[in-house]
Amino acid sequence: MGEGGGAGEGGGRLEKMWVTGFRAVDDLKESVQMAGIDLAKSLMQLTGRLTNREETPGEEVKEVVGVVLPLLLTQGLVSKAKEVQAVAVVMLVRMVKGARECLRPWLAELVSALIEAQSAIEPQQLQYMQFHATSSGMTEEGMEVSNQTTLLSLPPSFPPFSPLRQLLYGLSPPCICHVLRLCLGGPL
C-alpha cells in the first residue's frame, strides 16, 4: 500500500486513523468535532484515491477495501452519531464507484449493511408519520402503504440508496438474487 512497507503496516495505520476520525467526529467538544470532520475529509480523499481502480493497482485496492470497508460497516453506518453515519455513507459511495469488482468478496455484507442503513437513516418525514400514526387513527396497513409511498418518492441520490444502486448496477439478475439470498440467510 504505497511506499514504506506492506499493506499490513499501512493498513493498520489507515485503520487507526479512521477509528480516530470517527471518535473525533462523535466528540462532545465542538473544536474536536471540527478537527474530526477535517480529518474525515482528508481520510475520505486518501481512501477514495486508494480504492479507485483508475488511480491504484487492483491488489492494493483490494487490500485497502479489506481494511476500510469493515470499519465503515461496523462502526460508521451503525454509529448513533448522524455525522459519523454521513461520513460512512459518503465514503461508501466513493468506494463503490471506484473499487467496482474489488468489492465482490464483500457484496453480501455490503448489501446487507446498506439495506439496514436505509431503515436506520430513514427520512424525518417517515419518523414524523410513524410518531403520529396512532393519534391520527391510521391502521398498520395504511402506515405501511404511506411508508412505501414516501420511500418511492425519495430521490435516487438519497444517501443510503445511492451506494446500493451503484453497487447493484450492472449485476445480472441471478447474481443480485444470489447476493440477496446470502444477505437474508436463505439457501444458495
Side-chain angles (χ1 to χ4, degrees), residues 50-106:
L50 292 173
T51 58
N52 187 331
R53 296 263 307 144
E54 294 175 7
E55 298 181 43
T56 306
E59 285 305 311
E60 287 184 37
V61 170
K62 287 179 185 177
E63 292 170 3
V64 174
V65 165
V67 170
V68 177
L69 187 63
L71 287 172
L72 295 174
L73 300 179
T74 62
Q75 294 182 29
L77 284 180
V78 298
S79 174
K80 291 184 183 359
K82 296 293 182 193
E83 296 84 1
V84 173
Q85 289 176 350
V87 167
V89 169
V90 169
M91 189 63 245
L92 282 171
V93 170
R94 288 184 186 175
M95 193 177 286
V96 166
K97 287 179 181 179
R100 297 183 298 266
E101 67 275 356
C102 294
L103 292 171
R104 284 203 183 268
W106 299 94

Side-chain angles (χ1 to χ4, degrees), residues 98-119:
R100 297 183 298 266
E101 67 275 356
C102 294
L103 292 171
R104 284 203 183 268
W106 299 94
L107 269 179
E109 287 178 65
L110 188 52
V111 170
S112 180
L114 290 172
I115 289 171
E116 286 179 36
Q118 283 180 210
S119 61

Side-chain angles (χ1 to χ4, degrees), residues 23-168:
R23 285 185 186 150
V25 168
D26 189 25
D27 200 274
L28 293 175
K29 194 171 180 182
E30 187 178 347
S31 62
V32 176
Q33 270 187 342
M34 298 311 291
I37 290 170
D38 288 342
L39 175 59
K41 287 178 184 178
S42 296
L43 285 170
M44 286 191 294
Q45 287 178 341
L46 173 65
T47 306
R49 284 193 308 271
L50 292 173
T51 58
N52 187 331
R53 296 263 307 144
E54 294 175 7
E55 298 181 43
T56 306
E59 285 305 311
E60 287 184 37
V61 170
K62 287 179 185 177
E63 292 170 3
V64 174
V65 165
V67 170
V68 177
L69 187 63
L71 287 172
L72 295 174
L73 300 179
T74 62
Q75 294 182 29
L77 284 180
V78 298
S79 174
K80 291 184 183 359
K82 296 293 182 193
E83 296 84 1
V84 173
Q85 289 176 350
V87 167
V89 169
V90 169
M91 189 63 245
L92 282 171
V93 170
R94 288 184 186 175
M95 193 177 286
V96 166
K97 287 179 181 179
R100 297 183 298 266
E101 67 275 356
C102 294
L103 292 171
R104 284 203 183 268
W106 299 94
L107 269 179
E109 287 178 65
L110 188 52
V111 170
S112 180
L114 290 172
I115 289 171
E116 286 179 36
Q118 283 180 210
S119 61
I121 310 173
E122 63 187 15
Q124 289 180 347
Q125 188 177 5
L126 286 179
Q127 292 173 353
Y128 178 83
M129 287 173 21
Q130 289 171 342
F131 182 74
H132 292 291
T134 54
S135 63
S136 66
M138 188 178 284
T139 65
E140 190 173 319
E141 185 178 304
M143 186 66 207
E144 186 64 31
V145 169
S146 183
N147 283 351
Q148 290 172 356
T149 304
T150 303
L151 285 173
L152 290 173
S153 68
L154 291 171
S157 60
F158 181 66
F161 298 160
S162 182
L164 186 58
R165 285 192 175 132
Q166 284 283 328
L167 187 64
L168 297 177

Side-chain angles (χ1 to χ4, degrees), residues 1 4-20 43 46 50 63-64 66-68 71:
M1 196 166 62
E9 183 181 326
R13 283 190 294 226
L14 188 60
E15 180 179 5
K16 287 177 185 174
M17 287 189 290
W18 270 103
V19 170
T20 301
L43 285 170
L46 173 65
L50 292 173
E63 292 170 3
V64 174
V67 170
V68 177
L71 287 172

